[in-house]
Amino acid sequence: MSLLRSTRLLSRRLNNSSKGSPIQREFSFHPVLGTYKVGDFLGKRQKNDPTMVATTINAKQTITEALAKIAAETPIRSAILVEDEAAKKICGIITERDFARKVDLMDRDPNSTLCEDIMTPAPETIEKSESLDDAITVLFKGSYRHLPVTDRESVSGMLGINDTLRELFRLQVLHKHMPAMKAPLTSIPNGPSKAKTHFISETSSVYDAIKLMSEKDVGSLVVTGTGYTVTGIITERDFLVKMALPGLSAKDKTVADIMTKDPVCTEATKSVIKGLELLIGQGCRHLPLLGEGTEEDGPLHTESGLRVVGMLSSKHIIRYVYDL
């Protein structure tokens, strides 16, 4: 399929979407990716690691049943919901964010609440016959972290934002933009900033943490300890893996119980490419940024003597490289 035809296909599919305004793309992110099929990419990954498949569950199952199925599969990933397990027709998607915000925070009983009650219905999808270029566009325009992949409406896999960044890096697609990629992380438009970075004490409850993440619409918080120092990071994934899957109550555990201690950080003056290398190398979606400042700017990172001045996310990188 030609790049022009692929672009028109995506435009038609997005114009026919029932989710809000149509998403338009008038150019290719990169010629190489315009001919690289999503199905080929997923097939290669699944050949190298057979566990890298989508988790499918029935929309009529309870949250408890869904969590049990997720826990039994490796690796733990977002769950694609299906109305008919035989046909594997997608009717919605549940992510770490849905588990964190739509059960405990809404005082729902996971034993009686159905998956369809908390799922995001009719998620945007991409056909395996479309290109990775198309997939990046959908992820970027929709500000998604996960993109279900279909084969004529049947479930074929799941594409994550870090999957695409890792492949961009492997293919050296970004190297043609090396001057821009060597720019400091602070140069990312609408990127990581003090105003978008939020903190919570390690003695606070997990419930308070997910409530703050919901209120601020963020996926992670920097955790502080004695002397207003950085002691960890807590994410929605921490909640899924360490609270929801074991069936624990968010009100009964403190942030210190489930946080990732001594998180990897990087200086805000480091280059965009270095930030990307760290995200990929650590397999994470959030990375605290450090810089000069006072207590008003953020908590102290004891090892470096710097302050937390921002939070880098995978979304910042994908938006930045898309606009290059």
Side-chain angles (χ1 to χ4, degrees):
M1 182 186 296
S2 70
L3 180 59
L4 179 59
R5 184 183 174 191
S6 176
T7 302
R8 287 173 176 169
L9 173 62
L10 180 67
S11 179
R12 285 198 303 272
R13 181 170 63 82
L14 294 174
N15 271 311
N16 291 332
S17 172
S18 60
K19 293 185 67 177
S21 301
I23 303 173
Q24 299 287 345
R25 177 162 71 82
E26 298 177 353
F27 59 92
S28 167
F29 177 72
H30 192 279
V32 171
L33 301 183
T35 57
Y36 190 3
K37 302 304 179 188
V38 171
D40 293 337
F41 171 53
L42 281 181
K44 182 184 67 176
R45 286 181 56 215
Q46 291 167 357
K47 181 179 180 180
N48 294 334
D49 184 356
T51 66
M52 298 299 287
V53 295
T55 302
T56 60
I57 56 180
N58 193 291
K60 296 295 183 181
Q61 286 182 272
T62 65
I63 300 303
T64 299
E65 291 172 322
L67 289 170
K69 183 167 185 180
I70 294 171
E73 298 189 8
T74 304
I76 295 171
R77 297 171 67 83
S78 294
I80 298 176
L81 304 185
V82 296
E83 288 183 322
D84 184 334
E85 288 190 330
K88 287 187 170 60
K89 185 175 181 180
I90 295 175
C91 64
I93 183 173
I94 293 182
T95 68
E96 300 102 322
R97 177 159 294 181
D98 296 313
F99 284 119
R101 299 184 183 183
K102 298 178 182 178
V103 183
D104 278 39
L105 286 188
M106 299 181 73
D107 198 27
R108 284 171 160 159
D109 181 359
N111 293 314
S112 59
T113 303
L114 301 182
C115 291
E116 64 184 5
D117 295 330
I118 74 165
M119 71 182 186
T120 300
E124 187 73 75
T125 64
I126 189 146
E127 277 285 314
K128 63 184 295 186
S129 60
E130 294 184 71
S131 71
L132 203 57
D133 199 9
D134 297 337
I136 292 173
T137 298
V138 176
L139 284 167
F140 169 74
K141 292 293 187 180
S143 193
Y144 305 134
R145 292 181 296 177
H146 309 92
L147 184 62
V149 179
T150 56
D151 183 6
R152 298 182 181 179
E153 297 189 352
S154 293
V155 178
S156 180
M158 176 81 85
L159 191 65
I161 191 169
N162 273 21
D163 298 328
T164 60
L165 285 174
R166 190 176 294 108
E167 193 66 1
L168 289 178
F169 190 81
R170 188 189 72 81
L171 293 172
Q172 297 188 338
V173 168
L174 304 178
H175 286 58
K176 75 167 189 174
H177 301 298
M178 194 50 69
M181 295 302 294
K182 288 183 177 179
L185 290 163
T186 51
S187 66
I188 297 177
N190 299 314
S193 68
K194 175 183 172 184
K196 298 177 182 178
T197 307
H198 304 282
F199 313 98
I200 193 164
S201 169
E202 61 182 15
T203 60
S204 298
S205 70
V206 173
Y207 181 90
D208 288 337
I210 58 175
K211 182 179 179 182
L212 181 58
M213 281 190 262
S214 179
E215 291 173 348
K216 302 300 183 181
D217 196 25
V218 295
S220 64
L221 302 170
V222 175
V223 182
T224 61
T226 305
Y228 200 47
T229 57
V230 178
T231 57
I233 183 174
I234 183 171
T235 68
E236 291 164 333
R237 185 167 184 81
D238 290 322
F239 175 80
L240 172 64
V241 175
K242 302 171 186 177
M243 296 296 298
L245 291 181
L248 302 176
S249 170
K251 293 182 179 179
D252 295 337
K253 293 291 183 179
T254 66
V255 169
D257 292 329
I258 73 165
M259 70 182 185
T260 299
K261 298 179 180 179
D262 303 318
V264 175
C265 304
T266 191
E267 294 181 31
T269 54
K270 295 291 185 180
S271 67
V272 175
I273 195 71
K274 289 297 183 182
L276 174 59
E277 287 175 350
L278 271 175
L279 286 172
I280 292 174
Q282 296 297 317
C284 59
R285 292 197 303 252
H286 305 93
L287 191 68
L289 297 185
L290 307 175
E292 301 288 347
T294 65
E295 188 171 305
E296 292 184 357
D297 296 302
L300 177 68
H301 183 253
T302 307
E303 184 178 344
S304 66
L306 300 174
R307 300 278 176 177
V308 174
V309 296
M311 180 75 83
L312 179 69
S313 75
S314 300
K315 284 187 177 181
H316 291 138
I317 299 290
I318 203 76
R319 288 169 185 161
Y320 180 71
V321 299
Y322 186 89
D323 284 336
L324 291 179

